[in-house]
Amino acid sequence: MGLNFTQTYLDNWASGGQSSISGTVLVSGFAKYAKGKATWDNSIDLAYGLLRQGDSGGVLKTDDRFDFSSKYGHRATEVWYYSALLNFRTQFAPGYNIVNGVQDENQLISDFLAPGYGLLALGMDYKPSSKFTAFISPLTYKLTVVGNQALADAGAFGVQAAEFNDLGEKIADGENLRSELGGFVKMEYKTDLVENVSLQTRID
């Protein structure tokens, strides 16, 4: 868990710039289980950050994440596992278009569950050590959720947009769900650099 707070104050500063104040809350957790040939890895990442810059009075988001992942594996060889992965991602708060450094609350571009991404993948997991894992899935189902109807009507995030007649009247709502099939790869690396300092990186 982490709470980061930063403030910059500038008054008659010859080099230019703006005063600012920002804060971010971070929560990262994991639970891992292994017994016999079975492994079960779970992780959750939560983050929310805000920034106020200059005299605009507006507040901007700098981070907004909800990311949960669960992966079950059954050992096939010494370093390969038959695996299934479940992942869900979304955000906590509405997001708005930024105009001249200020968010325009009349231009909503995202919201809680708009989008939300659900992923179910079947494949193989390569684990040569406790530090590195590479999950490779040739069969993956992705569900995109757009819970905000205004965004769904606009066809945001790839869903089918609403239908309108020649007078501009809506005759059919935009769809709230979009399904896709494809492949998926996820690689993770984690190591201890020195005492009490660790490095963790991931690419999907």
Side-chain angles (χ1 to χ4, degrees):
M1 294 172 54
L3 175 61
N4 302 325
F5 176 79
T6 303
Q7 181 179 18
T8 301
Y9 176 73
L10 302 175
D11 184 19
N12 195 26
W13 181 245
S15 299
Q18 292 181 309
S19 298
S20 66
I21 184 170
S22 66
T24 303
V25 178
L26 302 165
V27 177
S28 180
F30 66 91
K32 296 186 177 184
Y33 172 83
K35 185 176 182 180
K37 293 186 176 183
T39 62
W40 187 22
D41 300 338
N42 301 275
S43 66
I44 187 167
D45 291 302
L46 312 173
Y48 191 73
L50 296 173
L51 165 71
R52 179 177 177 179
Q53 184 168 293
D55 299 322
S56 63
V59 177
L60 307 177
K61 284 197 299 181
T62 56
D63 206 347
D64 191 357
R65 277 181 291 141
F66 178 100
D67 191 341
F68 170 76
S69 185
S70 182
K71 181 174 62 176
Y72 178 82
H74 185 83
R75 178 177 291 165
T77 69
E78 190 65 30
V79 295
W80 287 96
Y81 291 77
Y82 302 112
S83 296
L85 179 140
L86 176 67
N87 177 256
F88 180 74
R89 292 182 290 127
T90 188
Q91 62 189 54
F92 292 102
Y96 300 95
N97 193 29
I98 306 300
V99 180
N100 297 323
V102 179
Q103 65 181 13
D104 183 351
E105 296 193 0
N106 294 316
Q107 297 186 47
L108 181 75
I109 58 173
S110 61
D111 204 348
F112 177 69
L113 290 181
Y117 297 110
L119 200 73
L120 179 61
L122 302 175
M124 299 292 291
D125 198 12
Y126 176 62
K127 290 184 175 182
S129 70
S130 60
K131 296 181 178 180
F132 178 77
T133 174
F135 175 74
I136 304 167
S137 170
L139 182 60
T140 303
Y141 172 73
K142 178 185 177 184
L143 178 67
T144 301
V145 180
V146 182
N148 182 290
Q149 194 58 50
L151 292 173
D153 289 346
F157 310 108
V159 299
Q160 183 66 44
E163 295 181 21
F164 297 86
N165 61 22
D166 293 338
L167 299 176
E169 299 169 332
K170 186 168 67 171
I171 57 177
D173 286 339
E175 296 184 1
N176 300 104
L177 303 174
R178 173 185 170 95
S179 296
E180 298 171 272
L181 290 175
F184 179 70
V185 174
K186 177 178 181 177
M187 292 182 287
E188 293 180 281
Y189 179 76
K190 184 177 182 179
T191 187
D192 293 328
L193 300 177
V194 295
E195 187 177 0
N196 296 325
V197 179
S198 64
L199 169 70
Q200 182 173 352
T201 187
R202 180 181 76 193
I203 185 169
D204 297 351

